[in-house]
Amino acid sequence: MAQLLSGTEIAKEIRLQLQHYVQEVVKTRPEFKPGLVVVQVGDREDSNVYIRMKGKAANDVGLNFEHVKLPSSSTQREVLDVIDRLNEDPDVHGMIVQLPMESSHPIDAHVVTNAINPAKDVDGLTSVNAGRLARQDMEGCMLPCTPRGCLELIQRTGLPIEGKSAVVIGRSKIVGAPMSDLLRSQNATVTMCHSRTQNLKSVAATADILVVAIGRPEMVKGDWVKPGAVVIDCGINSIPDDTKKSGKRLVGDVDFNEVKEVAGWLTPVPGGVGPMTVAMLIKNTVDAAIKGLEKEEVGQWRMEFLPLALKTPVPSDIDIAKSQQPKNIAILASEVGLLNSEVELYGKKKAKVTLDALKRLKDRPNGKYVVVTGITPTPLGEGKSTTTIGLCQALGAHLKKNVFACVRQPSQGPTFGIKGGAAGGGYSQVIPMEEFNLHLTGDIHAITAANNLLAAAIEARMFHESTQSDEALWKRLVPAKKGKKSFCPIQLTRLQNLGIAKTNPDDLTPEEIKKFVRLDIDPSTITWQRVMDTNDRFLRKITIGQGPLEKGHTRETQFDISVASEIMAVLALTTGLADMRERLGKMVVASDKEGNPVSADDLGVSGALAVLMKDAIKPTLMQTLEGTPVFVHAGPFANIAHGNSSILADMIALKLVGEDGYAVTEAGFGADIGMEKFFDIKCRYSGLVPNAVVLVATVRALKMHGGGPKVVAGVPLPSEYVQENTELVEKGCCNLKKQIENARKYGVAVVVCINAFDTDTDSELKTVQSIARESGAFDAIISRHWAEGGNGAVSLAAAVEKACKESSQFKFLYDLELPIEQKIETIAKEIYGADGIELLPEAQQRIELFKKQGFNDLPICMAKTHLSLSHDPNLKGTPSGFTLPIRDARASVGAGFIYPLVGQMSTMPGLPTRPCFYEIDVDPVTEEVLGLS
């Protein structure tokens, strides 16, 4: 008499084990929740029964179960759209399409099932999974549920499968064929039979293991079975039975009563294979979720690095960039662990990364956070961007660490003007450098459009208020639709700001209507300017409103360069779309005639600004010359704003690299500006804690600080800068010492990178190295990344790695609650070395207004020259005994800072006599960009 293999009991045991396993995982990973989705087309009752059974089993184990029921009118395209959506949903780990599909339109079941992501194909029906199983490629193969359940039943007998004779009757793609492959994987000798097999009975009788899935009721009789064999009956057939109330009963493909007298083990029908199929569906889903969890446990990326063909002398930046063929950006995105749904391709070389990545990775530990800054630079710059890229190439391509570089997007103005591009330089660049330096993905254009829409809204509102009565304004601002007035959401926000707790327009009094419709902007207080991304000195002051239809409403104003817009600063400091929308609404553009702030929300335009910015909020993914990943995002003006790339890029990078990886971000200008703002503004809003500072210094800049001749962009360097002069270097190291001291005030380890030039001598370089270490730097490394790429920065990368292991004692320089004047004075004394500050009358007046308007507790963003620690660009080294003059103060309320003006700040650069655009052209045959530098 055969022993019964009760699928019902074994499946129950498996479900309990899975339930316990899920509960144990949740204890350490609370976010773990395997998700199973069943897609059904039509409303077949038998399908509904199966789906309910699957849903109950999933819920019992602790899975998220979803039943997507599509109408019978669904087309194949509509079904495929649903599958595509579920493929991209990280919360869905398993997906099945319930067959047969019942639709009034033709649907190819093969096409539909093959559209499922093989990693989520918990039915194991895709060609990918079937092919892997057929080729015995079990790694990553999703096993079909019924064959896997059958194998589990066979293994429960204790009978060794290896070397045994196995016969499978039936060759269906769902059961027979994969069952044969699965038994082969266990080293059984397998014979597959079907309805046309000759001598089927005698072949079946040779089987130690007999699996029947032929779809014919009770076909296999007792004399077909080898005594003691394991018999697995996969059939389920309905036959007439007058003794049953329904008039029918379920039987298998095996004559149970006969075979039980011969077989050693036998599955009943029902209660045999059926429950096991459901149990294996749940197990496959849990397994898929675990694999997804393992992917979240970041190890070393499997990344293809790009080799460099170094040349001496080092060619031009664009020649180097053109000599390197970038990886397809989709491949790079996959290498760093981004999902297809999180990547929006802009061609083959750059892509936007959606904020869904940050949401998915929110529970992953951050990597190490490194900021690159510099000593007070010459007008030529000392290579912070180049160092950032070279360091990341060294960490990634040479030390095999997960690393992201996060840099600002350059403005086109300087690219065509005097500065040139900002993609790094030499063999440490972002590529393609021409795309990096030009339009990229259009973020600056979006900022320009949003900024100028707000400027237009200001002028239009003042014009209409001056030419219309309260009644006319009310009628137009709150028009009646079908005889009924209603406020739009942004108007309700204005009512709240005014303290009017009413939502029905008919309830407002005449006084409240007047307050609502009239902003009463004082034109003399308008701080919002128009912008464009071109260096045009003749737009620094303009007169608007000279057309005949403007009725004499002329006003003096100006253009700034686009990166100086507060919207750019908002983009850089935002932490999400909702936060950006709120910040845009808070932007103060002027004061009314009573001294109250007027915001973008008051103008009703902030929602539209958010729409224009909804794509710009996504960081752009690019790569270095050696194939390591780069985020390019935001580019706030480093004088009047904080001059750092975006918080969002840093946050996503820190998650992607994992706990043992590195996100290296760059702060604009010298440490007294970019680094201080990085710590006191950016880190406040991000909540991120830095692990190390890389402070870039050059012999050239130190000679300047030691008393060397003036350095002028576009003019050959004086001889002092190309000949050895260690005395000049030693004197200039006072600036290096001060910037090391500044960094250490924040409790962060400082690694000095001595960016070596060909004209530097060993004696000069070692002098800087020695003084830096004596002055409190964690280490000081001579780096040659410009000429050698990542290999030239390996020692720097190793030092940074060690510095990041130091315990960070990070702290801010000042408390936000201090009075604005005291915060300004703290920065002036502690960071610049001033004796104190002098508030000029206009600045004092503005600061008092900001306090009155409720803006005292914002951080300070000093707007001063980057060419000196002081306010005077001619004072090099470490100036002392000076008082810092504050001539004015402005508020970027949306971005979230007050910026005092120290001296004159030009927010619209001009073009030199011979701009960079003289060299820039396009090859009409190859379409390659020429002459960028």
Side-chain angles (χ1 to χ4, degrees):
M1 182 70 69
Q3 296 182 48
L4 286 185
L5 285 168
S6 173
T8 301
E9 293 300 318
I10 297 172
K12 182 180 178 181
E13 179 186 332
I14 290 171
R15 289 198 305 272
L16 286 172
Q17 289 173 347
L18 289 171
Q19 181 187 53
H20 178 71
Y21 180 71
V22 169
Q23 290 171 347
E24 286 300 306
V25 174
V26 168
K27 287 180 181 177
T28 55
R29 299 293 294 268
E31 75 279 9
F32 181 68
K33 192 76 171 179
L36 173 64
V37 178
V38 176
V39 178
Q40 179 187 13
V41 180
D43 193 31
R44 287 176 60 113
E45 183 51 37
D46 56 346
S47 292
N48 290 334
V49 171
Y50 293 139
I51 292 169
R52 284 195 293 270
M53 183 166 51
K54 293 167 184 173
K56 183 180 185 306
N59 290 328
D60 287 347
V61 170
L63 275 59
N64 274 338
F65 179 79
E66 182 183 357
H67 178 194
V68 177
K69 198 167 189 176
L70 302 176
S72 57
S73 59
S74 299
T75 64
Q76 180 168 297
R77 181 68 265 161
E78 289 170 334
V79 178
L80 291 173
D81 285 344
V82 169
I83 291 173
D84 287 344
R85 174 178 64 81
L86 296 172
N87 279 340
E88 302 294 355
D89 188 342
D91 294 328
V92 174
H93 303 98
M95 184 195 334
I96 63 173
V97 175
Q98 187 68 39
L99 301 175
M101 291 176 281
E102 185 182 62
S103 175
S104 55
H105 299 281
I107 297 180
D108 188 329
H110 184 71
V111 170
V112 170
T113 54
N114 265 312
I116 298 173
N117 180 345
K120 298 185 178 187
D121 172 31
V122 286
D123 251 349
L125 298 182
T126 61
S127 295
V128 171
N129 281 319
R132 286 173 178 163
L133 180 57
R135 296 179 62 174
Q136 302 293 283
D137 179 10
M138 310 306 285
E139 179 104 15
C141 176
M142 191 75 77
L143 300 177
C145 299
T146 299
R148 188 175 187 183
C150 293
L151 181 64
E152 179 71 24
L153 288 168
I154 294 167
Q155 290 172 332
R156 290 294 180 117
T157 67
L159 178 73
I161 298 175
E162 185 173 349
K164 293 293 188 291
S165 172
V167 173
V168 179
I169 302 178
R171 55 182 174 181
S172 74
K173 296 177 182 177
I174 296 176
V175 181
M179 189 70 238
S180 172
D181 294 332
L182 200 53
L183 286 165
R184 280 195 304 116
S185 75
Q186 302 296 309
N187 296 315
T189 301
V190 184
T191 303
M192 180 185 285
C193 300
H194 43 82
S195 59
R196 298 185 183 180
T197 300
Q198 295 182 0
N199 303 317
L200 181 56
K201 173 182 173 180
S202 59
V203 174
T206 66
D208 300 310
I209 300 168
L210 180 62
V211 180
V212 186
I214 198 69
R216 296 186 180 182
E218 299 183 327
M219 185 183 82
V220 174
K221 304 298 182 181
D223 57 355
W224 288 43
V225 177
K226 181 179 181 179
V230 177
V231 180
I232 307 296
D233 187 354
C234 300
I236 185 159
N237 310 281
S238 178
I239 62 173
D241 188 339
D242 295 337
T243 66
K244 301 293 183 181
K245 185 176 180 180
S246 63
K248 55 188 177 181
R249 65 187 171 93
L250 297 176
V251 298
D253 294 347
V254 172
D255 188 324
F256 183 84
N257 290 326
E258 285 194 21
V259 172
K260 72 179 181 181
E261 303 293 336
V262 183
W265 292 269
L266 175 62
T267 57
V269 175
V273 172
M276 292 298 294
T277 298
V278 176
M280 293 301 110
L281 175 69
I282 305 304
K283 183 168 177 55
N284 279 349
T285 303
V286 173
D287 288 348
I290 289 296
K291 286 181 180 178
L293 203 62
E294 290 171 350
K295 285 183 178 180
E296 297 303 311
E297 301 289 343
V298 185
Q300 183 183 320
W301 291 335
R302 294 182 178 179
M303 180 166 288
E304 175 193 0
F305 299 108
L306 305 178
L308 294 177
L310 301 177
K311 293 182 179 179
T312 305
V314 177
S316 69
D317 289 351
I318 195 161
D319 286 342
I320 292 172
K322 284 181 178 179
S323 70
Q324 187 69 289
Q325 179 61 39
K327 288 184 284 188
N328 187 309
I329 202 68
I331 293 174
L332 179 63
S334 176
E335 288 175 336
V336 301
L338 288 163
L339 305 180
N340 290 338
S341 60
E342 296 164 350
V343 179
E344 297 173 356
L345 301 177
Y346 281 62
K348 296 181 179 180
K349 299 171 184 176
K350 56 185 184 289
K352 285 283 192 183
V353 174
T354 72
L355 305 192
D356 290 341
L358 193 56
K359 178 182 176 183
R360 173 175 64 89
L361 302 172
K362 65 182 185 301
D363 296 310
R364 179 183 288 181
N366 285 339
K368 306 296 188 297
Y369 196 28
V370 179
V371 61
V372 177
T373 186
I375 64 169
T376 304
T378 69
L380 305 178
E382 309 318 307
K384 287 192 309 299
S385 299
T386 307
T387 299
T388 300
I389 302 306
L391 171 60
C392 289
Q393 290 178 172
L395 283 166
H398 299 271
L399 297 187
K400 301 299 184 287
K401 304 293 182 181
N402 297 351
V403 62
F404 245 103
C406 298
V407 297
R408 290 183 294 166
Q409 179 182 350
S411 167
Q412 283 182 189
T415 297
F416 289 112
I418 194 169
K419 183 177 182 294
Y427 286 102
S428 296
Q429 292 188 58
V430 181
I431 54 172
M433 71 93 84
E434 62 270 31
E435 295 188 28
F436 176 93
N437 284 312
L438 299 177
H439 301 282
L440 199 60
T441 48
D443 292 357
I444 294 180
H445 300 319
I447 289 163
T448 303
N451 184 99
N452 293 342
L453 175 62
L454 180 51
I458 296 168
E459 308 296 348
R461 186 58 175 265
M462 289 195 300
F463 174 79
H464 291 305
E465 286 188 24
S466 69
T467 57
Q468 296 179 46
S469 65
D470 294 347
E471 183 181 353
L473 287 168
W474 174 250
K475 183 178 179 180
R476 288 174 172 82
L477 287 171
V478 191
K481 296 179 181 178
K482 296 182 180 179
K484 184 175 178 62
K485 287 179 175 286
S486 62
F487 293 117
C488 65
I490 201 165
Q491 288 177 325
L492 292 172
T493 300
R494 170 152 172 79
L495 287 169
Q496 291 172 3
N497 292 341
L498 291 171
I500 301 173
K502 296 177 181 178
T503 58
N504 185 348
D506 295 332
D507 294 341
L508 266 66
T509 66
E511 291 76 16
E512 289 171 335
I513 288 174
K514 181 179 179 67
K515 284 179 67 177
F516 174 78
V517 301
R518 293 206 174 272
L519 299 181
D520 276 335
I521 292 173
D522 179 352
S524 68
T525 67
I526 295 173
T527 56
W528 197 262
Q529 316 294 356
R530 288 161 175 79
V531 300
M532 66 185 302
D533 196 26
T534 301
N535 290 4
D536 190 345
R537 70 178 69 245
F538 286 92
L539 294 177
R540 290 172 179 170
K541 181 166 284 192
I542 60 171
T543 302
I544 59 172
Q546 295 193 22
L549 299 180
E550 279 64 66
K551 302 178 182 178
H553 289 278
T554 60
R555 184 172 70 85
E556 272 197 359
T557 183
Q558 69 184 58
F559 268 83
D560 296 334
I561 197 161
S562 294
V563 291
S565 170
E566 184 179 348
I567 295 177
M568 175 63 91
V570 166
L571 176 66
L573 289 172
T574 193
T575 55
L577 187 57
D579 178 67
M580 183 177 74
R581 170 63 183 81
E582 183 180 352
R583 286 175 178 269
L584 291 171
K586 287 180 177 179
M587 292 188 305
V588 173
V589 300
S591 296
D592 65 19
K593 291 171 183 175
E594 294 181 356
N596 300 308
V598 178
S599 69
D601 267 350
D602 292 323
L603 285 158
V605 71
S606 46
L609 303 183
V611 169
L612 288 170
M613 294 293 294
K614 70 178 180 63
D615 291 322
I617 198 173
K618 305 164 189 172
T620 299
L621 177 66
M622 296 186 77
Q623 63 194 282
T624 69
L625 280 167
E626 298 191 52
T628 61
V630 179
F631 272 141
V632 186
H633 201 214
F637 214 62
N639 287 111
I640 65 165
H642 65 290
N644 283 257
S645 63
S646 78
I647 286 174
L648 281 171
D650 291 0
M651 291 173 72
I652 297 173
L654 285 164
K655 295 297 184 185
L656 286 170
V657 299
E659 194 169 8
D660 296 325
Y662 298 82
V664 181
T665 191
E666 179 193 350
F669 290 158
D672 54 301
I673 298 182
M675 183 194 70
E676 184 273 318
K677 295 174 182 179
F678 170 81
F679 288 143
D680 286 315
I681 300 175
K682 186 175 179 180
C683 289
R684 282 188 200 271
Y685 285 122
S686 70
L688 299 173
V689 177
N691 296 93
V693 170
V694 174
L695 182 65
V696 180
T698 63
V699 167
R700 176 180 69 195
L702 293 171
K703 285 181 176 180
M704 178 192 71
H705 290 298
K710 188 174 183 179
V711 176
V712 180
V715 176
L717 286 169
S719 60
E720 287 86 345
Y721 293 100
V722 294
Q723 296 173 1
E724 182 174 295
N725 191 328
T726 54
E727 183 181 353
L728 211 56
V729 172
E730 285 181 17
K731 288 180 180 178
C733 279
C734 60
N735 187 273
L736 173 62
K737 292 178 183 179
K738 176 58 178 169
Q739 300 290 25
I740 293 171
E741 176 192 316
N742 286 344
R744 294 188 67 193
K745 288 179 187 291
Y746 293 90
V748 183
V750 184
V751 176
V752 172
C753 168
I754 307 163
N755 187 15
F757 293 174
D758 291 341
T759 54
D760 300 339
T761 67
D762 287 344
S763 177
E764 289 173 330
L765 293 169
K766 289 178 180 177
T767 295
V768 180
Q769 195 172 34
S770 175
I771 292 173
R773 288 169 176 165
E774 291 169 1
S775 301
F778 177 84
D779 205 344
I781 305 296
I782 300 166
S783 187
R784 303 183 188 277
H785 44 276
W786 180 80
E788 300 176 18
N791 190 53
V794 168
S795 296
L796 174 64
V800 169
E801 185 181 0
K802 290 178 183 177
C804 286
K805 293 177 181 177
E806 294 288 299
S807 177
S808 178
Q809 306 296 324
F810 178 65
K811 59 186 177 182
F812 297 117
L813 188 67
Y814 54 81
D815 293 329
L816 291 180
E817 295 77 15
L818 293 173
I820 292 173
E821 303 94 327
Q822 191 172 339
K823 289 183 282 192
I824 296 171
E825 187 172 43
T826 299
I827 296 171
K829 288 182 174 180
E830 295 292 328
I831 302 299
Y832 309 153
D835 289 344
I837 63 171
E838 178 190 6
L839 288 176
L840 300 182
E842 190 172 355
Q844 187 67 64
Q845 184 180 351
R846 294 267 190 167
I847 288 171
E848 291 305 320
L849 176 63
F850 297 151
K851 290 179 179 179
K852 178 184 174 184
Q853 292 176 335
F855 304 143
N856 180 82
D857 292 350
L858 293 176
I860 303 301
C861 186
M862 299 290 284
K864 81 168 186 73
T865 180
H866 62 291
L867 297 174
S868 171
L869 281 164
S870 74
H871 58 285
D872 184 350
N874 296 310
L875 297 179
K876 304 303 181 182
T878 311
S880 61
F882 65 93
T883 299
L884 194 73
I886 310 298
R887 70 172 182 84
D888 199 354
R890 305 283 170 80
S892 290
V893 179
F897 52 75
I898 303 291
Y899 64 98
L901 298 175
V902 183
Q904 297 296 321
M905 289 293 114
S906 175
T907 53
M908 172 55 80
L911 291 173
T913 305
R914 193 180 191 282
C916 294
F917 62 61
Y918 271 74
E919 310 295 336
I920 298 172
D921 209 334
V922 62
D923 186 314
V925 177
T926 65
E927 298 185 7
E928 287 187 353
V929 175
L930 308 172
L932 274 178
S933 60

